[in-house]
Amino acid sequence: MSTVCRQVLDRLCAPGRKRAVEATAIAQLPHRPHVINIAFELEICDKVTTNSKEGEKQSSPEVREIVFNERKTSRPSRIFDRVTGLAGTKYTFFLMLATLLIWAIVGAVTGATQTWQIVIQDASSIQCYISDTLLMRQQQNNSRNLLKLVCQLRSRNRTCKRLLQRVRQESINGLEPTSPVQISIDKDLIDTADLPVENWYDRICNYVVLAIGSLFSFVFYWAGIITWISLGPRLHWGNLWQLYINTATAVELTFTTVFLQNTRHRHTQYLEKCLQSIIKADNEMELRLRELTDDIDPNPTAVITPDVMTNGNRAIDYYGAIMGSGAGVVISVIIFAVWIAIGPTMHWDSNWWLIIGTYTGLVGFVDGYVLRNDYFRANAFADIQLQALADEDAVLCEMLGIPVLTEPVAPTNSLHRRISQALSAFLSLPHAVLASLVVVVTVIIIASCMHWSETGQLICNTPTMIIEGFLLLVLIQAHHLSNERRRTQFKSILVRRLMINAQIERLRLSRLSDTTDGAESVV
């Protein structure tokens, strides 16, 4: 095979490929070293002050400030993150509420036609489709950023361990604390079980999400499905009968998704705020130890190798990378453009309206399983890496004589929670993604045999919407428990670093006191 063919094949196989993640924490130095021949670049700059009267900038060579490297993301990623963040705000809620009210008024005026019911189904399917597309990219980026963060923390941990060994050898009084260390945590980061509440909309979302994730909502949902099935003979199993359940599930998916996006948005805000505190405490930890030892050696590089992947998971990651990239956006734009272009030919009838809802509904149905599979695997792998980081932190705490405290996660003693977690693990398997494809192919064959009539397209939408509505209710508990676990892990990382910093500062003051006493003795 020629070199060009290999490059083309490699480029085609690149999406979704898991690569090793490596990072080196930037050294935090208290001053510019006299010898700049070390094997890494120090990001140090003069601290700039502004003269308010003359508006001139002056540099102070005595005071220097270390520039910490920040996570850099591309512009499309920032746009995706911004759009996903806006989806969880009260403005989106009011927009959705206004849209539903306008839709209800139009239905009351026009007599609730079939097209009127199909419109809300299209809107719900398109919303879920766009949300899944954004989440695919964001989920993959967040997973890689988390692993890179772990690498940076482990890189600095290894340097701190080396420096602490030197401090222990040089210390006269040892490193045992005389009293428990005192730390201070931001009030918004104390509670990991309940997310911070900023306004009335956050409170409403908390109550709604709690109600949605309850066993009562699960029973109520299936009672509605049974009632709908019992109406089948009376409505002759026709299009109107299918439209009733499609409309009901579309409204449920639209509203619950908006409320859940608010919870996801606040969860991300908690992690971002906690992450800022972690990075600050981590930098201070290394800086204080370097002040004690006058060490300027570079931090080592930490590497996380990817897990061995099955062919099924590799195919899932490939699909997710394509749909969550620019290629997926281009595909979506082309599909929507073709749909609009054939509108005049089909006289903008009900069948035309169903086309886009059928496409987004079927693709979104598969995307939901792909997202769950990727989320479950990424979370499991991240838990392993975070535990490895916790073990290294425990070594530092032991060297400083600090007791390692772990914050427990809420037990899953509820029957509904246990069912939710078990079902979440089962539906995250590659076989579940394959099963979703089988369902999609089956309904496509049925619709094709019916020449893609309204009834055929409704058959494509009805089972998938019922399944998605059910899974949204039953899996919410498992999703919240997973988020709570991640917040607890982040808070534990912060607490350990604050305790280590407090003990290092105590050690620094003790050494300073010993030096002063020694100088007085000499005098």
Side-chain angles (χ1 to χ4, degrees):
M1 184 182 294
S2 65
T3 304
V4 176
C5 291
R6 285 192 184 127
Q7 290 176 349
V8 171
L9 182 62
D10 184 70
R11 184 67 62 89
L12 291 174
C13 296
R17 180 181 295 163
K18 300 296 183 182
R19 297 179 174 86
V21 179
E22 62 180 44
T24 305
I26 294 180
Q28 307 300 303
L29 304 181
H31 53 79
R32 187 184 295 275
H34 299 293
V35 181
I36 314 293
N37 59 355
I38 50 183
F40 65 101
E41 182 180 358
L42 301 174
E43 298 189 15
I44 304 177
C45 70
D46 293 336
K47 185 177 182 180
V48 179
T49 59
T50 304
N51 190 318
S52 58
K53 294 183 179 180
E54 301 178 359
E56 297 178 354
K57 292 184 178 180
Q58 301 175 346
S59 62
S60 174
E62 292 82 10
V63 183
R64 298 191 179 275
E65 176 180 335
I66 298 176
V67 180
F68 307 128
N69 61 333
E70 298 180 354
R71 295 177 299 162
K72 297 180 180 179
T73 57
S74 62
R75 187 173 182 179
S77 296
R78 293 196 299 270
I79 293 175
F80 285 162
D81 291 343
R82 180 64 176 168
V83 172
T84 306
L86 287 174
T89 62
K90 58 185 178 182
Y91 306 107
T92 303
F93 169 74
F94 283 125
L95 178 62
M96 291 293 178
L97 184 60
T99 303
L100 287 174
L101 286 175
I102 293 172
W103 171 76
I105 293 172
V106 171
V109 173
T110 60
T113 61
Q114 288 191 10
T115 302
W116 172 78
Q117 294 194 63
I118 292 171
V119 166
I120 193 62
Q121 297 170 34
D122 286 353
S124 176
S125 297
I126 292 172
Q127 179 207 16
C128 294
Y129 173 80
I130 294 175
S131 177
D132 288 346
T133 301
L134 293 174
L135 286 176
M136 277 187 187
R137 183 180 182 89
Q138 187 187 53
Q139 190 166 284
Q140 292 166 0
N141 289 341
N142 288 347
S143 176
R144 188 167 184 85
N145 288 336
L146 175 59
L147 295 180
K148 191 170 184 180
L149 169 68
V150 172
C151 281
Q152 291 175 342
L153 297 179
R154 294 178 69 178
S155 169
R156 184 162 285 127
N157 269 6
R158 293 167 188 176
T159 293
C160 291
K161 180 181 178 181
R162 176 175 59 81
L163 298 180
L164 273 176
Q165 289 173 343
R166 286 182 53 183
V167 171
R168 292 182 68 179
Q169 294 173 358
E170 300 170 0
S171 178
I172 299 175
N173 297 328
L175 302 181
E176 293 295 331
T178 56
S179 60
V181 292
Q182 301 293 326
I183 60 174
S184 177
I185 304 178
D186 191 300
K187 63 179 182 179
D188 292 335
L189 303 178
I190 294 177
D191 189 3
T192 58
D194 298 321
L195 289 168
V197 176
E198 297 181 0
N199 50 49
W200 60 268
Y201 179 58
D202 292 342
R203 294 188 184 91
I204 291 177
C205 288
N206 284 344
Y207 290 123
V208 172
V209 171
L210 184 64
I212 292 172
S214 65
L215 189 61
F216 173 77
S217 64
F218 173 76
V219 174
F220 182 79
Y221 180 84
W222 281 109
I225 298 296
I226 294 172
T227 303
W228 168 73
I229 294 174
S230 65
L231 293 174
R234 182 178 301 179
L235 296 173
H236 308 290
W237 312 98
N239 292 348
L240 186 61
W241 174 72
Q242 291 196 70
L243 282 170
Y244 283 155
I245 194 62
N246 287 353
T247 303
T249 52
V251 173
E252 180 233 351
L253 287 170
T254 301
F255 258 109
T256 53
T257 301
V258 170
F259 288 120
L260 289 176
Q261 283 170 339
N262 171 268
T263 304
R264 185 187 297 117
H265 176 63
R266 287 189 289 147
H267 169 73
T268 302
Q269 283 184 321
Y270 179 96
L271 294 185
E272 288 290 342
K273 189 169 186 178
C274 192
L275 176 60
Q276 292 176 4
S277 300
I278 289 172
I279 292 176
K280 180 181 177 183
D282 203 56
N283 291 336
E284 291 176 353
M285 182 174 70
E286 180 189 356
L287 182 61
R288 286 173 174 170
L289 283 174
R290 288 189 184 274
E291 286 176 345
L292 284 173
T293 58
D294 291 327
D295 186 276
I296 62 171
D297 289 342
N299 292 322
T301 299
V303 181
I304 295 178
T305 56
D307 256 350
V308 178
M309 191 179 302
T310 63
N311 291 332
N313 286 333
R314 178 69 182 94
I316 292 171
D317 287 345
Y318 186 92
Y319 171 82
I322 292 294
M323 295 303 295
S325 66
V329 175
V330 171
I331 293 173
S332 300
V333 170
I334 293 174
I335 295 294
F336 277 85
V338 171
W339 173 65
I340 294 173
I342 64 176
T345 305
M346 300 184 66
H347 308 290
W348 315 98
D349 58 8
S350 299
N351 207 22
W352 175 80
W353 280 100
L354 276 171
I355 290 175
I356 196 63
T358 301
Y359 168 77
T360 54
L362 294 181
V363 175
F365 179 71
V366 176
D367 288 351
Y369 284 89
V370 171
L371 277 169
R372 279 186 283 271
N373 176 273
D374 180 74
Y375 180 79
F376 186 84
R377 288 188 291 117
N379 262 14
F381 187 68
D383 286 341
I384 295 173
Q385 303 307 320
L386 288 171
Q387 184 57 50
L389 174 65
D391 293 340
E392 293 183 4
D393 289 348
V395 173
L396 297 181
C397 291
E398 184 180 358
M399 294 175 70
L400 287 165
I402 302 173
V404 181
L405 303 177
T406 57
E407 185 173 351
V409 182
T412 58
N413 51 3
S414 167
L415 174 62
H416 189 49
R417 285 190 171 188
R418 291 201 300 269
I419 293 175
S420 180
Q421 285 192 305
L423 191 59
S424 176
F426 175 75
L427 293 176
S428 301
L429 298 174
H431 301 84
V433 180
L434 179 61
S436 70
L437 286 174
V438 171
V439 171
V440 168
V441 171
T442 301
V443 295
I444 287 177
I445 293 174
I446 294 174
S448 299
C449 294
M450 302 179 70
H451 305 289
W452 290 96
S453 61
E454 289 184 18
T455 303
Q457 293 202 64
L458 286 173
I459 289 175
C460 288
N461 293 321
T462 302
T464 55
M465 293 187 74
I466 291 175
I467 294 172
E468 279 300 295
F470 161 68
L471 293 180
L472 186 64
L473 298 178
V474 75
L475 296 180
I476 188 172
Q477 288 287 349
H479 186 71
H480 285 332
L481 285 174
S482 177
N483 285 346
E484 181 183 342
R485 176 181 177 84
R486 184 68 74 238
R487 292 194 297 270
T488 301
Q489 290 169 331
F490 268 56
K491 180 187 173 183
S492 298
I493 295 173
L494 175 60
V495 168
R496 292 193 296 266
R497 268 145 187 76
L498 292 176
M499 294 176 67
I500 291 172
N501 274 335
Q503 181 64 0
I504 292 175
E505 179 63 15
R506 175 184 291 175
L507 178 64
R508 187 186 70 83
L509 294 176
S510 175
R511 175 168 292 191
L512 183 61
S513 175
D514 292 342
T515 304
T516 304
D517 294 342
E520 291 177 354
S521 300
V522 172
V523 173

